[in-house]
Every structure is written in structure tokens, then in C-alpha cells.
Amino acid sequence: MFENRERTDINELGEFGLIKHLTQHVELLSEHSVKGVGDDAAVLDAKNLSTLVSTDLLMEGIHFDLTYVPLVHLGYKAVQVNLSDIYAMNGVAAQITVSIALSSRFPLEAVEEIYKGINLACKKYNIDLVGGDTTSSKQGLVISITSIGYAKPEDIAYRNGAKEHDLICVSGDLGAAYLGLQILEREKQIYLENPKIQPDLEGKDYLIERQLKPEARRDIVALLADLGIKPTAMIDVSDGLASELLHLADQSGVGVTIYEEKIPLDPMTYETARELGLDPTVCALSGGEDYELLFTISQADYAKLKHDVDVTVIGHITDKNSGAKMISKSEKVHELKAQGWNAFMTKNKDKPGT
Amino acid sequence: MFENRERTDINELGEFGLIKHLTQHVELLSEHSVKGVGDDAAVLDAKNLSTLVSTDLLMEGIHFDLTYVPLVHLGYKAVQVNLSDIYAMNGVAAQITVSIALSSRFPLEAVEEIYKGINLACKKYNIDLVGGDTTSSKQGLVISITSIGYAKPEDIAYRNGAKEHDLICVSGDLGAAYLGLQILEREKQIYLENPKIQPDLEGKDYLIERQLKPEARRDIVALLADLGIKPTAMIDVSDGLASELLHLADQSGVGVTIYEEKIPLDPMTYETARELGLDPTVCALSGGEDYELLFTISQADYAKLKHDVDVTVIGHITDKNSGAKMISKSEKVHELKAQGWNAFMTKNKDKPGT
């Protein structure tokens, strides 16, 4: 990486020089941002709203593999993963802080690529980069992002508000990011065995894009506001539909029943799963990294939402004793189990997630 | 480490289990904390105050050496380093988020030790732990902390408010943490050469404590409020007095003049520097990690502060063209240069800092 390109040693700039270099063009856009990079702390103004804060730590070799993840996409995705948590509270994201640690194998140009992705995401989602830290690393690349957002207290959607008979909804479609990862891993293996073979990603663009360049669903938060719907509970799908449903059920003290035939799958997800000998439903239930929003609404709100093609009702909330269930296409009852990727089980590289 | 003690594999708990295990006894104390760990994001209430946010990324092998840093101290210090940035804005810290990545050499008991230190710091400083992330690492330990605090907009002390003729003040004393590190490094070398020799830290307790267990100066923020003083500019001393003075001068567009004889040094700092053949003044100027507060006040406020033994006036603000200067004990004029530790220059292990 970067062997044949321009290569500037980060030591030439030093820590303060690097921060200045990376943030010199940052302009604060949000009305909630008073002071960004350059002092001991950023200064924010909540303007009578509640403040939402979420943080993620992304480690090279655990959460991303630089053999096939371009640095610009890594920066973009690192931001999206974090914003997704703010949207999952039914809030509007406004700021991030970014800390990056790099080992000496990364030149300045590498950091610039990561920041290009970060800045792209910030611009597209109206996010101010208000602080951070850069340091060296003995352990490869580490990215830590904290995102900050705002919401009226009464609009916040927690995980614990789902009530019996509520409808379970999910945005977009599921399982594609997981299959994108399978394709990238397959091509990596082929490349490692024979570097002359070009990667064959034809016809898989949607899956690859879902894996490398996810988009947090700010638009769904806006849609729900437009429709006058407050979700009774909400969570983002980062570890797989099953794991998130179990979180909602557990924290709300309820049961869930979903219908396999209702789970939204893109045709490319379905076909590719079949090609790879995988069950498309399992990819949706346990794959993760979809960054879609999973939420519950009261039945009274169903009419407002039923014509929206980007939201699918996949089931309903039941009483706690009914447990967490999926009714299969053949009308069999399956108990839902969390098989989402676990960041501590690194041996199982097939289970992605953050 | 932990070879002869209880050793529980973190995999047994899994990511969600670990978070639950570590945060199960967390009670929210701040009126600014609405919802802590357990949802997609923490929910905070600024209550009409400005919000202050600061973040740090601490890497094993760069910022700390586990051969002589006990994990409980590491957790405690990681929090202090972060709180110090909030106090340096003249704010009150209220919350932190903590993300930790660990390689498989760390058992559950190691994480518990780190959290013991984190919780101790939180309890002592009235801080709520409201969120975070735990993940595995291919190598070593990574700690990322974001701290959140509050202040009235008009009370915030930026780095850019120092005016000509203002007095330059510093809390506590300087250089001790740097010398503590020198002692610890010396004993580490002796130990590596002959593991049978016990470390000789006698009479160096203050220096070791300043290095391993610094205390952020919340009390100075409270003192200034009590005295009715708003600093015209403020910064915390993490990279050494010289580096911080240059930041204040640069951002305020002014010059600084300090007097060597006024720089507060503990007698133990002075004696140990001499013992080790180091210049005590250089230890204060360039050592770093003191986490004292460096601030400027208008001369009109001097009378309110002059009897406080924990704050020393070390110089005054001059016009920009006069530059950044120190008048030595022999009345020579030295130009101040930033020689604070640079996180990218890891070869120079003698320069500590975060």
C-alpha cells in the first residue's frame, strides 16, 4: 500500500502539525457547534435539546482488513457506523470527534485518505468534526469515533418502549453487507493464492457497496418525523436482525414474533446467498453490519406508514412468555438466537460486525 | 502478569456479557445524565449550559508501559488525563465514555482492574460512566476515553483570551511526573538486567505518584469560581510548560515572559533532577504530564489570588513581538521552545506525555 505513491513521513509534521494539517479546512456548520478543534475541549450548545452520545472503537485486523478495504471507505464507514447509533435514538447527529492511532507503516497520505472519507461522510450528513486525537501505534491502525446528536427529550426512542401488539418494522433490506464481506474474503483468498488473478466482483456491486460504504438511515428518522410517528422502541442493525430483536425484547420485557417471508432481502442478496450455499434468511438474521433501523410502532400508526416502500413490517410484539420467535415460510416456529458477530471471537472471521 | 492469579477468559462472557459485567453497578449521579450504558447512545441533559467534549486515545507501548504501570492506576490516570481537558476550559466534568480493546493475553481480571481504577476516579470526581465499547485487539491494550462537561457560556476559558499585562499563573508544581517516569524507567532497566534486585523507589513516592496517579485540578476551577476570577485564557499542562505557553501565546496573539525562579518545583523534584544530572527547570518546561492548570488573569484579579499557596504567578503576557521568553535566575533571556513530548517520536522514550 502506498509503495509507489507519494509518501510523506508523519514525523515531519509532528502531532500538532498533523492535527492542524487534517483539520485546517474544517468549518463548523451545525448551530450546535460553538468551538471545534484547537482548544482543550470542543464547546457545544444543546439548545434545550437532549444530547445523545455514542462511541465506537475500530481495530485493524478485527473490524477491518486493509487488504480489501480502501482507506477512504474505511473513514466513511467509521463515521456511518457511529451516526447510525444516534439515528437509532431517533435523534439528529451533529458532531463527531475522531481519534486515530497509526503505526509507522502509514505515511501522511494514508491518514489523508482516511480523513477524505471522514470529511465526505461529514459533508453528506451535515456533521461537524469538532475534536480528536492523533497518535502513533505499535498495533496497526486504530480509529475511535464519538458521535454527538440531539433530540427533544420526548422524541427519543429507547430500546425499552416496545409494547404488546406493536408492529416490528425494519428499514431497507438485510444481509447484503454480510454477503459483500463473503465475496471480498473469497476474492482475497483467490488473490493470495494467485496474485495475477483480478478480483471478480461483477454483478456484486450492491453487496460490496453495502459492506464497504454503508449509509446510516438519517432519512428514516426524518421520514418518521414527517409522518408524525414516534417509534415505541428503536435500535440499529449492526450485529444481525436476531441479535437486535433480542435486545429490544429483553429491554422492553416483551416477546417478538417475526415472519421469515416478510424479511426484506434484495434479489442480489438472495441469489448470492444461494450461489455461496448460504441460507439468505440466516444472512439477514445473523450477518450484521446492515446499519438499518429496526423499530416498533403502535398499530394506530400503521396507516401512516403502510405505503412507504422503504419500511417493511416483519412481525409484532407479543407477551414476554411467548419468547422470541420466527415463523418460517413453511409455517414452522423457530426460536430466535443471537448469533451476531462477537468482537471477542476473532477466530470466527466469517462473522462480521462492529 | 496474572500468571499466578485467577484468570477468566473474556470469551466466556462475550462482548455484551462483558459490558454488562463491567457496568452492572453503575449508578448515574449527575443531574446531566439521563440514560447511561445500555442503549444505542447515552442521553445527556445540558440544562442550558454549554457542553464541553474532549477525547484521548491511549496506546500500550506509546503512552504506557505495563511493566511498571499497574492496571488500576492506568484506569485512574486515563480518566484524569481526560477530565483535565474539561477543567482546562473552566468547566465541570460530568460524564465519560470508555472504549477498551484488549488482546487475548488479558484475562477478565485485567479488565476488572482497569475498571476499578476508572470507577475510583469517577467516584472521586463525581463522574458518570455513560457509555463505551469493548472489543478485542490483535496486539496490546488500547483505551479511548471521551469526557463531557458543562459550563456557563460566559465562564468558558479558551486558549485565545490572554491580553497584554495579564498575569500568567500555574497551579501546583511542575516536573515531578517526568522525574517519576525517569525513576520508573531506571528501575525497569535494573530489573531487566537483574530480576532479583528489588526496585528502589524509597524517598521518591511523590514523583512516582505524580506519574502513576495524577489528579486533574477540579479544585482549581472551584477555587477560581469562589474567588470570582475568570481566567482570561487557560490550558492544562500535559506536554510541558513551554509547549503550553506557546499554545496560549499563539492562540491569543500575544507574547509571554516567565521567570525561571518563579516556576514552582517540589523539593523532591529539584533534588532528584540534580541526582539524575538533569536541569530541574528543563524538567518543568519540557517534561509534561503534570496535569496542572496554566492560566492567565487580569492584573485586577491579582489581589483575590495572591494569598493562595497552590497557585503561583510565574510571569506576564507581553505584546506579540516580544515573543515567548524565560528570564533565567542569572537574568539571561531565553527563548521558549516547545520540546514537549511528541506522540509520533516514539524513539525518544524519555519524553513522556499523552
Side-chain angles (χ1 to χ4, degrees):
Chain A
M1 196 170 47
F2 291 94
E3 282 80 2
N4 305 315
R5 298 200 242 161
E6 207 179 339
R7 208 189 144 91
T8 311
D9 191 334
I10 289 175
N11 284 327
E12 288 174 27
L13 284 168
E15 186 184 351
F16 299 124
L18 179 61
I19 294 173
K20 219 170 195 173
H21 177 79
L22 293 169
T23 59
Q24 59 192 340
H25 301 301
V26 168
E27 252 180 273
L28 299 181
L29 300 171
S30 167
E31 56 169 358
H32 296 289
S33 304
V34 180
K35 166 86 187 174
V37 176
D39 217 300
D40 293 284
V43 180
L44 316 176
D45 181 352
K47 293 189 178 292
N48 296 315
L49 300 177
S50 291
T51 305
L52 306 167
V53 176
S54 180
T55 192
D56 272 304
L57 184 58
L58 304 179
M59 307 288 298
E60 182 178 355
I62 306 290
H63 301 98
F64 54 89
D65 182 336
L66 292 178
T67 24
Y68 52 75
V69 176
L71 290 169
V72 61
H73 283 135
L74 178 62
Y76 191 88
K77 180 169 174 175
V79 176
Q80 296 301 330
V81 166
N82 238 274
L83 298 184
S84 184
D85 285 319
I86 301 297
Y87 301 135
M89 300 299 286
N90 207 27
V92 175
Q95 292 109 357
I96 53 168
T97 66
V98 176
S99 294
I100 294 187
L102 320 115
S103 55
S104 55
R105 76 176 213 267
F106 295 95
L108 176 63
E109 288 73 17
V111 201
E112 286 176 337
E113 281 292 297
I114 299 171
Y115 264 82
K116 204 197 265 181
I118 289 171
N119 289 331
L120 197 67
C122 284
K123 204 171 171 188
K124 188 161 170 188
Y125 285 75
N126 291 317
I127 305 297
D128 289 332
L129 175 61
V130 293
D133 197 8
T134 54
T135 184
S136 63
S137 160
K138 301 231 166 179
Q139 301 102 339
L141 179 60
V142 176
I143 304 182
S144 173
I145 296 191
T146 297
S147 57
I148 300 149
Y150 302 92
K152 285 186 195 161
E154 64 272 23
D155 287 345
I156 298 175
Y158 292 93
R159 292 178 179 177
N160 66 3
K163 301 267 178 303
E164 207 180 332
H165 309 305
D166 282 355
L167 300 175
I168 302 171
C169 309
V170 68
S171 64
D173 58 79
L174 303 173
Y178 175 71
L179 287 163
L181 185 69
Q182 302 314 305
I183 299 288
L184 289 166
E185 284 280 347
R186 183 187 71 183
E187 295 305 315
K188 177 186 169 183
Q189 289 312 318
I190 292 172
Y191 174 82
L192 289 176
E193 283 156 27
N194 187 347
K196 285 184 185 164
I197 297 180
Q198 288 295 307
D200 176 20
L201 305 175
E202 211 186 299
K204 307 296 183 199
D205 350 359
Y206 179 67
L207 307 180
I208 304 295
E209 191 172 310
R210 291 284 285 175
Q211 170 56 225
L212 294 183
K213 199 169 169 287
E215 302 285 345
R217 299 308 303 263
R218 176 181 61 164
D219 58 329
I220 296 295
V221 173
L223 173 77
L224 292 171
D226 282 351
L227 296 176
I229 297 175
K230 185 197 157 181
T232 53
M234 185 146 68
I235 190 170
D236 72 325
V237 183
S238 54
D239 293 316
L241 178 61
S243 171
E244 315 307 351
L245 282 167
L246 289 169
H247 281 303
L248 285 189
D250 179 41
Q251 295 204 25
S252 295
V254 295
V256 294
T257 294
I258 62 163
Y259 298 87
E260 183 183 13
E261 60 176 0
K262 300 287 188 189
I263 297 173
L265 298 175
D266 186 86
M268 199 186 287
T269 301
Y270 191 88
E271 282 162 30
T272 307
R274 289 297 183 204
E275 250 175 69
L276 299 176
L278 298 168
D279 181 335
T281 301
V282 173
C283 293
L285 287 174
S286 304
E289 291 203 285
D290 296 303
Y291 302 108
E292 295 295 342
L293 293 175
L294 174 69
F295 55 96
T296 52
I297 61 171
S298 75
Q299 293 207 4
D301 283 331
Y302 175 64
K304 303 178 192 167
L305 196 70
K306 67 180 176 187
H307 296 300
D308 196 279
V309 292
D310 209 18
V311 174
T312 310
V313 177
I314 59 170
H316 59 273
I317 299 294
T318 60
D319 73 302
K320 192 179 168 68
N321 295 329
S322 304
K325 296 193 163 32
M326 181 180 76
I327 314 297
S328 73
K329 289 175 187 167
S330 56
E331 298 193 355
K332 281 189 186 136
V333 178
H334 296 264
E335 197 191 335
L336 286 174
K337 287 194 176 144
Q339 308 198 316
W341 180 80
N342 184 317
F344 281 105
M345 308 213 171
T346 52
K347 282 173 212 159
N348 188 353
K349 283 276 290 180
D350 293 344
K351 286 286 179 185
T354 50
Chain B
M1 196 170 49
F2 291 97
E3 282 80 3
N4 304 315
R5 298 199 244 161
E6 208 178 336
R7 207 189 145 92
T8 311
D9 192 335
I10 290 175
N11 284 326
E12 286 174 27
L13 285 167
E15 184 183 353
F16 300 123
L18 180 61
I19 295 173
K20 219 171 196 172
H21 178 76
L22 294 170
T23 59
Q24 60 192 341
H25 301 301
V26 169
E27 253 181 89
L28 299 182
L29 300 172
S30 167
E31 56 169 357
H32 296 288
S33 304
V34 180
K35 166 85 187 174
V37 176
D39 217 298
D40 293 284
V43 181
L44 316 176
D45 181 351
K47 294 192 177 289
N48 295 314
L49 300 177
S50 291
T51 305
L52 307 166
V53 177
S54 180
T55 193
D56 274 304
L57 184 57
L58 303 179
M59 308 288 297
E60 182 178 354
I62 307 289
H63 300 98
F64 54 89
D65 182 338
L66 292 178
T67 18
Y68 52 74
V69 177
L71 290 169
V72 61
H73 284 135
L74 179 63
Y76 191 87
K77 180 170 174 175
V79 176
Q80 296 301 330
V81 167
N82 238 275
L83 299 184
S84 185
D85 284 320
I86 301 297
Y87 301 135
M89 301 298 285
N90 207 25
V92 175
Q95 292 110 357
I96 54 168
T97 65
V98 176
S99 294
I100 295 186
L102 321 115
S103 59
S104 55
R105 80 175 210 266
F106 294 94
L108 176 63
E109 288 74 16
V111 201
E112 286 176 337
E113 281 291 297
I114 300 171
Y115 264 83
K116 203 197 266 181
I118 289 170
N119 289 331
L120 198 64
C122 285
K123 204 170 173 190
K124 189 161 170 189
Y125 286 75
N126 291 317
I127 306 297
D128 289 334
L129 175 62
V130 293
D133 198 7
T134 54
T135 182
S136 63
S137 154
K138 291 254 169 184
Q139 220 187 326
L141 176 61
V142 177
I143 304 182
S144 173
I145 296 192
T146 297
S147 57
I148 299 149
Y150 302 92
K152 286 186 194 160
E154 63 273 22
D155 287 344
I156 297 174
Y158 292 93
R159 294 178 179 177
N160 66 2
K163 300 268 180 304
E164 206 179 333
H165 309 304
D166 281 355
L167 299 175
I168 302 172
C169 308
V170 68
S171 65
D173 59 80
L174 304 174
Y178 175 71
L179 286 164
L181 185 68
Q182 301 315 304
I183 300 288
L184 289 165
E185 284 281 348
R186 183 187 70 182
E187 297 304 316
K188 177 186 169 184
Q189 288 313 318
I190 293 171
Y191 175 82
L192 290 176
E193 282 155 29
N194 186 346
K196 285 184 185 164
I197 297 181
Q198 287 297 306
D200 175 20
L201 305 175
E202 210 185 300
K204 306 297 183 198
D205 353 352
Y206 179 66
L207 308 180
I208 305 295
E209 192 173 309
R210 291 284 284 176
Q211 170 56 227
L212 293 183
K213 197 168 169 288
E215 302 285 346
R217 300 307 305 259
R218 176 180 61 163
D219 57 331
I220 297 294
V221 173
L223 173 76
L224 291 171
D226 283 351
L227 297 176
I229 297 176
K230 186 199 158 181
T232 53
M234 188 148 64
I235 189 170
D236 71 326
V237 184
S238 54
D239 293 317
L241 179 61
S243 171
E244 316 306 352
L245 282 168
L246 289 169
H247 281 305
L248 285 188
D250 179 43
Q251 295 204 25
S252 294
V254 295
V256 294
T257 294
I258 61 162
Y259 298 87
E260 184 183 12
E261 60 176 0
K262 301 288 189 189
I263 298 173
L265 299 175
D266 186 84
M268 200 186 286
T269 301
Y270 191 87
E271 281 161 31
T272 308
R274 288 300 182 202
E275 251 175 70
L276 299 176
L278 298 167
D279 181 336
T281 302
V282 173
C283 293
L285 287 174
S286 304
E289 292 204 284
D290 297 303
Y291 302 109
E292 295 295 341
L293 293 175
L294 174 70
F295 56 96
T296 53
I297 60 170
S298 74
Q299 293 207 4
D301 283 333
Y302 175 63
K304 301 178 193 166
L305 195 69
K306 67 180 176 186
H307 296 301
D308 197 279
V309 293
D310 209 17
V311 174
T312 310
V313 177
I314 58 170
H316 59 273
I317 299 294
T318 60
D319 73 300
K320 191 180 169 68
N321 295 329
S322 305
K325 296 193 163 29
M326 180 180 75
I327 314 298
S328 75
K329 290 175 187 166
S330 55
E331 298 195 352
K332 283 191 185 131
V333 178
H334 297 264
E335 198 191 332
L336 288 173
K337 288 192 177 144
Q339 307 197 316
W341 180 81
N342 185 315
F344 281 106
M345 308 215 172
T346 52
K347 282 173 211 159
N348 188 352
K349 282 279 288 180
D350 293 344
K351 288 286 178 186
T354 50

